[in-house]
Amino acid sequence: LLEIILNAKPGGYQNLDTNSYHKQLIERVSNIPGVLSVALADISIPSPEGWRDNASPTSEDPNTGARLMANGITIWPGFFRTFGIRLIAGRSFEVADNAQHPRLVIVSRSFAARLFVNGDAIGRRIRFGFMPDFQNLEIVGVVDDARLFDLREGAPPVIYFSYLQDSQPTPWGGLYVRTKGNPEALAMTIGHEVESLGHEYALRSATVDQMMSRVLVNERVIALLSSFFAALALLLASIGLYGLMSYGVTRRTREIGVRVALGAQQRIVRWMILRETLALTLLGMAIGIPSGLAASRLIASMLFGLSPSDLSIITTACLLLLVVAFFAGYLPARRASSVDPILALRTE
């Protein structure tokens, strides 16, 4: 998925029918070999900025009735197909939905669920803000939630408007292109196609993955450093556990020799050492898990898409520690089970 930020050349938008121009632009780009779908949006995605206001059903008082803070975004038909956002109910925008028809909107699943808890949102009418043009909006579709704004937060309630129903559409924004192969290979061709129309030039192009990487660079650096120090801590813990158990086996050589001389089997001796290793590990986990949960609020803001108290993550970490502890205690246990009782009894 490729984004190209559209920017007007000097005087490029004077006396220009923006909707007709955008239709021509999308048609030209769609005809490029390797392009699957094309769409426009009035913001760069992902973007923390956007149109945000209160939405409420037209049948209720906007001051006392049900209302919801939502984000608004204006899109071109084909936006959901381009971004892979699933249509749950109703229909998507069509080219026939123009400024001569009543305003239609599509809402996200969280918007429909929170504002219309007792019924279907399709066909319901809402108002958005206090501008006269947005006081009687008919919902014609519901789509899945998508993180189009702040990637660090959950998907907010969103209202989608059609470019073609805007009498004064935004002349700038982002052109989004889904391709069959590597989108970077088509970026220059698409940029030349945009420039050839004589109104705009492509100031910047990037894949959506590249944009997300730039937005989340701090989180990824923190995650990389945290992973490094976690692996280092795990290594030090395994070395320490191995050293402790090896020292314990050395100190108990005479005792182990007596056990073997009295007929203790190797597997019994091996399990005795492993049991002590696992007991130490379980004791450390019993102390570490509550301590980690108590300190989880300090790192909650650094996590993306995860909960600091996620049960699956804690379970995986505990299993990993047990596996490491098993291998750290296996070598001392193996050495203890192979002690020669004659040499062990002579040990001081």
Side-chain angles (χ1 to χ4, degrees):
L1 183 61
L2 181 71
E3 179 196 54
I4 295 181
I5 300 299
L6 301 177
N7 295 272
K9 293 181 177 181
Y13 291 146
Q14 290 182 0
N15 302 320
L16 178 67
D17 184 344
T18 310
N19 278 336
S20 297
Y21 165 67
H22 283 153
K23 286 180 182 179
Q24 183 184 11
L25 172 62
I26 287 182
E27 182 178 356
R28 293 278 290 271
V29 175
S30 298
N31 290 332
I32 297 175
V35 172
L36 295 177
S37 61
V38 187
L40 283 165
D42 64 347
I43 62 172
S44 176
I45 297 173
S47 172
E49 302 176 355
W51 180 16
R52 188 171 173 81
D53 213 328
N54 276 310
S56 60
T58 56
S59 58
E60 298 185 18
D61 189 311
N63 297 315
T64 60
R67 57 180 177 175
L68 177 66
M69 184 65 70
N71 289 68
I73 177 173
T74 303
I75 62 172
W76 191 270
F79 176 87
F80 302 120
R81 182 173 66 255
T82 302
F83 273 82
I85 300 175
R86 184 171 62 96
L87 181 67
I88 297 175
R91 66 174 179 87
S92 187
F93 291 130
E94 300 173 354
V95 177
D97 298 326
N98 53 38
Q100 281 69 48
H101 292 77
R103 275 193 177 274
L104 307 176
V105 294
I106 296 172
V107 299
S108 64
R109 178 171 56 182
S110 60
F111 181 98
R114 292 169 62 181
L115 198 62
F116 302 106
V117 293
N118 297 322
D120 187 6
I122 302 298
R124 306 291 289 270
R125 295 185 178 274
I126 60 172
R127 61 172 67 88
F128 187 55
F130 295 95
M131 295 179 62
D133 290 345
F134 301 101
Q135 300 304 299
N136 191 27
L137 309 170
E138 181 183 355
I139 299 175
V140 295
V142 178
V143 295
D144 254 339
D145 291 330
R147 295 174 185 258
L148 302 177
F149 298 92
D150 192 345
L151 295 177
R152 300 172 182 84
E153 302 293 335
V158 180
I159 302 178
Y160 298 92
F161 298 88
S162 173
Y163 248 107
L164 297 173
Q165 288 198 301
D166 199 337
S167 57
Q168 295 181 331
T170 302
W172 60 86
L175 178 70
Y176 297 92
V177 184
R178 181 169 291 278
T179 64
K180 290 181 181 178
N182 183 7
E184 295 176 320
L186 289 175
M188 186 173 295
T189 303
I190 296 171
H192 289 160
E193 199 68 43
V194 173
E195 291 179 302
S196 69
L197 294 174
H199 300 288
E200 296 171 315
Y201 52 83
L203 179 65
R204 176 175 62 85
S205 65
T207 65
V208 171
D209 289 340
Q210 290 172 342
M211 290 185 292
M212 292 175 65
S213 296
R214 286 198 294 266
V215 171
L216 299 176
V217 63
N218 291 336
E219 286 79 1
R220 290 186 174 180
V221 169
I222 292 174
L224 182 62
L225 290 175
S226 300
S227 299
F228 170 76
F229 286 114
L232 181 61
L234 189 62
L235 177 63
L236 293 176
S238 61
I239 293 174
L241 193 58
Y242 170 78
L244 178 64
M245 299 313 299
S246 295
Y247 177 73
V249 168
T250 302
R251 290 291 304 271
R252 298 171 62 185
T253 300
R254 188 178 181 87
E255 174 198 338
I256 294 172
V258 171
R259 290 177 181 271
V260 173
L262 293 176
Q265 299 179 1
Q266 286 189 348
R267 61 182 182 85
I268 300 298
V269 176
R270 191 179 299 126
W271 171 239
M272 178 183 70
I273 304 300
L274 279 175
R275 186 173 64 240
E276 294 177 2
T277 304
L278 295 176
L280 285 174
T281 305
L282 291 173
L283 176 62
M285 290 167 52
I287 298 173
I289 291 176
S291 301
L293 292 175
S296 62
R297 293 182 180 180
L298 300 177
I299 63 168
S301 61
M302 302 180 187
L303 299 179
F304 176 70
L306 293 173
S307 168
S309 58
D310 190 291
L311 182 60
S312 61
I313 300 297
I314 295 174
T315 303
T316 302
C318 291
L319 291 176
L320 179 61
L321 285 173
L322 288 173
V323 170
V324 170
F326 175 82
F327 284 105
Y330 179 75
L331 290 178
R334 182 181 178 183
R335 189 170 70 249
S337 65
S338 60
V339 167
D340 186 338
I342 302 299
L343 296 178
L345 290 174
R346 293 176 180 174
T347 301
E348 294 295 335

